[in-house]
Amino acid sequence: MDFLTLFVVVPVLTIVGIIFTKDMKQTRMVSAIGMSIQLLLSVALVFMYLAERRAGNTSEMLFAHSYIWFESLNISYNIGVDGISVAMIMLTGVVIFTGIFASWTVEYLSREFFISLIFLSTGVFGFFISIDLFTMFLFYEIAVIPMYLLIGIWGTGPKEYSAMKLTLMLMGGSALLLVGLLGIYFNSNAGGGDLTFDILEIAKVNIPIEAQRLFFPMTFIGFGVLGALFPFHTWSPDGHASAPTAVSMLHAGVLMKLGGYGAFRVAMFLMPEAAHEMAWFFLILTGISVVYGAFGAIFQKDLKYINAYSSVSHCGLVLFAILMMNQTALNGAILQMISHGLMTALFFALIGMLYGRTHTRMIDQMGGLMKVMPVLSVSYVIAGLASLGLPGLSGFVAEMTIFFGAFQHPDTFHRILTITAAASIVITAVYILRVVGQILYGPIKDESYKKFDDARWYERLSTGALIVAIAGIGLAPLWLSDMINESLNPIVDQLVQVIIK
Amino acid sequence: MIDFGYTIWIPLIPFFMFLILGLFGGKMKPMISGYLGTLGLLVTTVLSFFAAYQYFFQRTGEEAFEKIIASNTVWLNITDKLHIDVGVMLDPISVMMLIVVSTVSFMVHIYSLGYMKGDFGFSRFYSFLSLFSFSMYSLVVATNLFQMYMCWELVGVSSYLLISFYYEKPSAVLAGKKAFIVTRFADLGFLIGILILSYISGTFDFEELTNPEGAMISQGTALTFMGFSAISVALTLIFIGGAGKSAMFPLHIWLPDAMEGPTPVSALIHAATMVVAGVFLVARLFPLYYLGAPDVLTIVAYVGGFTSLFAAIIACTQLDIKRVLAFSTMSQIGYMMLALGVSGYGDHDGLGFMASMFHLFTHAMFKALLFLGAGAIIHSVHSNMMTDMGGLRKYLPITHITFLIACLTIAGIPPFSGFFSKDEILVAAFHHDKVLFFIEWAVAGITAFYMFRLYFVVFWGKETHYHHTPHESPLTMTIPLMILALASIFSGFIPFNELVTSDGHGFHIHTEWAIAIPSILVGIVGIAVAWIFYKKESGIPAKLAASLKLLYVGSFNKFYIDELYMFITKKIIFNRISAPIAWFDRHVVDASMNGIAWVTNSISDQIKELQSGQLQKYGYVFISGVILLTFAFVYLWFN
């Protein structure tokens, strides 16, 4: 078996292991072991990838393998990774690992919970290793569907409504996406020969411009729904608010990145002419997302809503950067996906931990938590500072790369958009500091707070791992940025050819 | 060639100290973490002084001081040619700043051992101080504009954390938030300025940006950005960033509130080091400003001049001693900005530049002394308000003498250092712009007045009834006061004209008595007026306030700038932008999504009626269909 397939096999084996467990303690132990292996595999993958590159392997995808599994339509299980997918896999590995520890105390139907959660992660890992459109789509659906169960069963508040809303909107996106992918498929033999789902093969042919004009928006919006593209983002606040902690972490941390990753790897890469033509329209939408999400967050009172709107703003920045279509901005987009994935996972983990103690998420009902649980509160401050782009933490690196990339366009339209997007860093500071001031600082709100205990070991492990990742990227971003940059070359070449034409 | 590689440890030691104290401080005995932090700073102070000694006095030959890159590594690649480095660059102003930062920071570290003793979060305090020292050191030795921007943000966040240090006090939390957001807003200008500047120049490096013969200055002026000169736009935006950090009007509103932080912090961050970062930024890019966009320097000069007058007027009516000092800081920074604005470049033309750096140095010493002295006063009477003080000279002899020295220094009385640096600024202003000169001359008088108002009310005046007898502070607090007092007295004799100049070449200066004597006189008049008004309790201030009611009320309320900002943020941004967006999102965007779902639902409700399972209904529909089709066919057939 090849190395990459392990990323799908290990979660499946873990699920099988969970089926045979008897109680919650065993279940979570098996899950923790399985996902620790998964995390180690992701770390190993990074090192193997870098070693391979250093050894001079310049092919576009490394560790590639291909097995045909549906011959008449030429669908294959075709896998391989470049620096971008390696980075995303690393992110997923960290988030699912910390997600397990963040849901350490789920008692209700714990076996089913962990199975769904890990099943979801299988889809995500599969998505990132695929370079076959159909297989990719399959994994994508695998990742989306357990979400319905996870929110509907283990959620809080109006969970059925939220689960339904989230699933239906994402399914709507998938429907568009499927049409788009099939459109690409049926145009993939422009030079004669077999139809194919292989991304690298399709990239070599020119899809006719008329077809691109039809299928690019479908694919882009299809992925964009998952990436919280305005105005298709409203599933996000409701969905996150109802979802259990680990699901929010995984969903905002990783699943939303599938949208950005797909929009870039499929929609932009395969249909660059149409992308170039229509970028202005989507740039306006994403520009709105960035500012609108941030302003929306100022007004919210529920911690999860604040973070959901903040995600709309930050993920808007991802799509915004992708549409800028140059190497620096794309690099920034990938960095932003990773950075946002880590810090939003940290936020949701912490919100879950606070909620577990105070039983409220309303910021006006909390206060003075710093005094009673310093470790959790300091972690929250760090997450906040990462979110508002403090140098030394990952958000800063990503945002700056995006702004520099976007600023490469000398025309007024792009200039105004870039400056508008950059202005969001001020608004972000407003809502982050408002929350920190309200819930962590100030006098202790309630006498009962004094009984709260600070972070338990599994909570420390979960938040600690995320903080280390955030600070690690923030302090030494060079290796990551260079790894991504190198893999962007073929993609940018493709885009540049179009722009010159 | 001297190897300056060791200077990398000047920022790094505080950084590691921050990590150690931040991670393990909670488990240490508080005093241990205090001693650790102080020890770390002692080492960096020694290194800084040694580096300064080597840089200034061990150079080979008599040629100009040059920029020395002691270390530099790539931190992030942005594009093929644009990359962000981090490193250490030594030149006259960065070496001078190393001395300022290390001296004041070290004094504050020692002082806080006494002042903060027994406070909750003692080790947290020292870890934040270390974080600040790290950021400030890296800022002043930055090799490129982007490194400076990063450190700029980091000093901002250290300032936020330290202002909100007493986080259980709502006013401290609000003040921290305000400081961070206002400076963040200004930093947005800085960031966009950097974006423009790096776009047109393709580099962040100071060496290339500020080289008078470099491509940037010789060719950059012709470039345009959205119809304006690109360099002017970029430098104006960068100056906005500097104005925010240096509390220039109208971005000053955060500084008075920042006094909510512990007093040693006010001395270090909000008087001596961080708030002068804006001045340092303009000085750092000075050749670019002067040769690339001289029009922007006029803005700098007038903003500085106006702020110094504005703040001095407010300082006359404030009752909280820390706020008086905060406005005084604003006013003095206005002086420095103005001096840069009126300066030329090269040799004696660069007098304003030299004067600005000179004043930055002396101001750091005497203002830190004033704040630490104020801290000692507050420590002994447990209040910030001047109304709670009076006659303290008997109880606090050391504080009294050192405070008096600082007051004389800031009032510009020779031979204290403030006289020399302020005099150079006045000379530079006189030869450039007479209006600015008269403003600054008047401000010198007002400064002497409000400082001695403070001095007389606190140390003379009527003795208030104290709950317990005020007592002099411990040695950890008085020794820094004495050291800084010595620095305030003697730093005026440092030959800045030989060492810290705009182009690295020394030049000769001579005292222009025609300017010096009026400035001394106006200082003495200010002191005299304060003596008459406040030495003994007199009715004159109240009468004067009544007759100048409008000015007095305006000044007492800081000319309502805070209220204006409050109006804009609360009423406009929060209620008129944010609230409608939240509403729009719920009731329009989301509602239309729910609407689609509802339409689908109801249509399917209608359709499902068809599958009712009733045979009669099916038969009825079938027959109707047959009849309809028959009619249709018949009709078509006959046509």
Side-chain angles (χ1 to χ4, degrees), chain B residues 152 182-193 232-252 254 278 281-282 289 296 299-300 303 337 565:
Chain B
W152 191 269
V182 173
T183 48
R184 198 77 207 291
F185 176 70
D187 292 349
L188 179 63
F190 190 3
L191 174 63
I192 297 171
S232 296
V233 174
L235 290 181
T236 310
L237 288 168
I238 290 177
F239 172 64
I240 290 176
K245 211 49 121 201
S246 287
M248 291 289 101
F249 180 86
L251 295 166
H252 64 276
W254 63 272
L281 174 63
V282 178
Y289 270 98
V296 181
I299 302 178
V300 174
V303 168
M337 280 289 186
Y565 272 89

Side-chain angles (χ1 to χ4, degrees), chain A residues 161 165 169 231-234 238 292 295 298-300 309 328 370-371 385 388-391 396-397 400-401 403-404 407-408 410 412 415 419 422-423 425-426 430 433 436-437 441-443 474-475 477-478 481-482, chain B residues 74-79 82 120 146 149-150 153-154 157 160-161 164 167-168 170 173 177 180-181 184-185 188 191-192 194-196 198-199 204 225-226 573-574 577-579 581-582 584-586 589-590 593-594:
Chain A
Y161 165 77
K165 182 172 187 174
M169 284 187 74
F232 308 107
H233 62 274
T234 54
D238 287 327
Y292 176 94
F295 271 120
I298 292 187
F299 202 72
Q300 303 301 323
Y309 277 98
T328 310
M370 182 69 92
K371 189 97 180 177
L385 292 177
L388 60 75
L390 184 76
F396 178 79
V397 181
M400 290 304 132
T401 317
F403 297 148
F404 278 108
F407 219 74
Q408 307 279 312
T412 314
R415 284 273 191 271
I419 291 172
I425 63 171
V426 182
V430 174
L433 296 189
V436 168
Y441 293 166
L475 289 173
L478 189 64
S481 154
D482 279 358
Chain B
V74 178
W75 187 71
L76 186 66
N77 288 312
I78 302 258
T79 61
L82 198 60
F120 172 71
F146 203 86
Y149 176 73
M150 292 199 282
E153 294 292 307
L154 284 174
V157 89
Y160 163 74
L161 292 171
S164 305
Y167 59 78
E168 285 171 87
V173 177
K177 193 168 98 175
F180 194 88
I181 291 171
R184 198 77 207 291
F185 176 70
L188 179 63
L191 174 63
I192 297 171
I194 294 178
L195 287 173
I196 298 174
S198 65
Y199 179 73
F204 296 119
F225 177 81
M226 290 173 150
I573 296 182
F574 199 72
I577 299 181
S578 200
I581 283 185
F584 179 79
D585 199 61
R586 282 288 98 184
V589 182
D590 195 36
M593 292 300 156
N594 284 347

